[in-house]
Amino acid sequence: MSFDYNRLAATCAVESPGHAITLPPEAYGSDELYAAEVDKIFKRGWIPVCRVEQLEGPGSYYSIDILGTPLVVTRDRANDIRVLSRNCTHRWMEICSGAGQANVLQCPYHLWSFGLDGHLAGAPEMKNSPGFDRKDWGLKAFRHEVWKGFVFVNFDGQATPVAEQFAGLEPLVDPYDFENYQIVETTDWGVCDWDWKIMVDNFMECYHHMGPHRGSLEDEFPAKLSHTGDVGRYFTTMWSQQADGYPAEVPFLAPGAPTLTPEHSHKLLIFIAYPLLQISLGPGFMYWLKTLPVGAGKVEIHLDIAMSPAALAAPDLDERRSQLVKSICDIHREDLDVCAAVQKAVRSGVTSTGRLALLERPLWQFYRYLGRELGIISTTADLAGRLTARI
Ligand code: FES
Ligand SMILES: [Fe+2]
């Protein structure tokens, strides 16, 4: 049976957050819809790949698969960053894996070797092949840009510049000195059995603090004090406000940049820069929920954890770092069971759509983004949505 886009459009076109409903359940497990998401959203958008500090100096490389495409991010001798195909131009073997430092990336199959700028540097026994010219056989390069320390790739090469798409986020993130946060821990949660949109739904609302996080977050960051912040065509933001009477403590809320106001010390900024950059940010830390869709109802998850320059410079770094990593991973574990259960419902054939709370306004924004990018709701409807008063 083919996917019912009219039913999906009915969710995406709801014009007021007060009347928002969930996506139809089948939207979380449809191969047909996933193929459309790949074509119209992931390949056209900016997909975050890694942080610049994960490429330390000339000769460094970082391998990652995105949408089934093997990529390697490199810094060449001139320190320029590139996003290259990891498939050898001879017979497509993967030329490297993992991350590290190298003068050249040498394919393990027939030992062709490539410079970090992608050029073919050596090809054993090929000099006898008529007309073979090494300069014709460099690695394929993908369009990339860097924004606030994140390296992004755009597969179709047609996206408007990343800094333009996310310009509205800059006044929010710049006071944190966000660009200079440094990754201190990467964690790998493997391929998880739910859709990338279930991960976004869960990440972009604090309503569930009263459920799975009732023992960890709800007292200090109660669901009812969360609220939607600025929104734009390519991003949605949300604030999670600390309850009265709690101090601004390490490792989340202190220490922070001198450009922050006292109010920043009592709230967290949570945002999605569409389609996939999901960030939770405070004065002392940032974590990046790195979701890599691998199919309908399947997503590979990494959690990369960073500290602010102020937090990195303060005493007792090791202790604060351990505390930060443990707290974030514990909270993330609390989310896993609910995501799995929601996907199980989808697979069981549940058919009804649900009604969203006002606290879930960012999901309404997300669905409007989906509808617009998939071409199933009009841009006019989107503008009406953007102008709706904040709650
Ligand atoms: S596939 Fe790489 S050298 Fe043959
Ligand atoms: Fe959560």
Side-chain angles (χ1 to χ4, degrees), residues 75-316:
R75 271 195 202 269
D76 67 14
R77 283 191 187 141
N79 217 22
D80 289 333
I81 291 175
R82 284 188 174 71
V83 178
L84 304 168
S85 167
R86 223 160 68 238
N87 291 121
C88 182
T89 51
H90 175 225
R91 268 175 44 217
W92 319 297
M93 177 67 187
E94 291 184 17
I95 57 167
C96 63
S97 60
Q101 290 274 335
N103 290 324
V104 291
L105 299 172
Q106 187 176 54
C107 179
Y109 204 169
H110 313 93
L111 308 190
W112 286 24
S113 54
F114 299 86
L116 278 283
D117 61 357
H119 83 280
L120 178 62
E125 307 302 331
M126 288 300 291
K127 58 183 175 302
N128 298 326
S129 299
F132 179 80
D133 187 340
R134 283 202 318 242
K135 74 174 175 1
D136 297 332
W137 298 92
L139 297 172
K140 175 184 164 104
F142 291 88
R143 183 176 173 216
H144 81 280
E145 287 183 12
V146 175
W147 180 79
K148 304 293 170 198
F150 292 89
V151 180
F152 291 83
V153 66
N154 167 229
F155 284 102
D156 81 353
Q158 305 294 313
T160 52
V162 68
E164 209 174 286
Q165 292 198 3
F166 304 151
L169 284 168
E170 294 190 356
L172 300 179
V173 299
D174 285 351
Y176 287 91
D177 197 9
F178 180 56
E179 183 164 0
N180 292 311
Y181 279 43
Q182 304 268 315
I183 298 277
V184 294
E185 184 84 16
T186 59
T187 63
D188 181 354
W189 301 78
V191 174
C192 297
D193 207 13
W194 52 85
D195 196 73
W196 72 279
K197 299 186 294 301
I198 284 180
M199 204 72 260
V200 176
D201 288 351
N202 183 73
F203 187 74
M204 285 307 295
E205 54 92 354
C206 296
Y207 187 22
H208 74 278
H209 283 196
M210 61 176 71
H213 305 313
R214 63 192 168 281
S216 54
L217 286 170
E218 174 63 12
D219 287 351
E220 186 171 352
F221 294 97
K224 67 181 179 196
L225 292 187
S226 66
H227 58 279
T228 307
D230 292 351
V231 298
R233 177 169 178 172
Y234 293 107
F235 64 88
T236 296
T237 67
M238 180 177 60
W239 296 95
S240 182
Q241 183 70 44
Q242 193 185 41
D244 284 346
Y246 282 90
E249 282 182 327
V250 297
F252 295 104
L253 296 170
T259 37
L260 292 171
T261 64
E263 292 81 58
H264 283 107
S265 300
H266 298 285
K267 59 185 182 181
L268 303 173
L269 174 61
I270 296 156
F271 69 84
I272 179 165
Y274 294 119
L276 289 175
L277 182 66
Q278 295 163 83
I279 299 289
S280 179
L281 175 64
F285 85 106
M286 172 262 282
Y287 81 80
W288 170 17
L289 181 64
K290 188 170 177 178
T291 58
L292 302 167
V294 290
K298 293 254 181 239
V299 65
E300 185 180 334
I301 295 178
H302 301 253
L303 242 177
D304 286 5
I305 299 165
M307 296 177 88
S308 65
L312 287 164
D316 305 322

Side-chain angles (χ1 to χ4, degrees), residues 1-14 21-24 26-41 197 296 353 367 370-378:
M1 198 172 71
S2 65
F3 184 75
D4 183 350
Y5 279 100
N6 288 331
R7 197 160 123 94
L8 177 62
T11 291
C12 302
V14 172
I21 56 173
T22 66
L23 295 175
E26 64 272 18
Y28 297 101
S30 158
D31 292 333
E32 183 183 340
L33 178 61
Y34 182 73
E37 289 166 350
V38 169
D39 278 352
K40 296 186 175 179
I41 295 178
K197 299 186 294 301
T353 52
Y367 303 155
L370 282 179
R372 189 175 57 247
E373 299 303 307
L374 291 168
I376 58 173
I377 64 167
S378 73

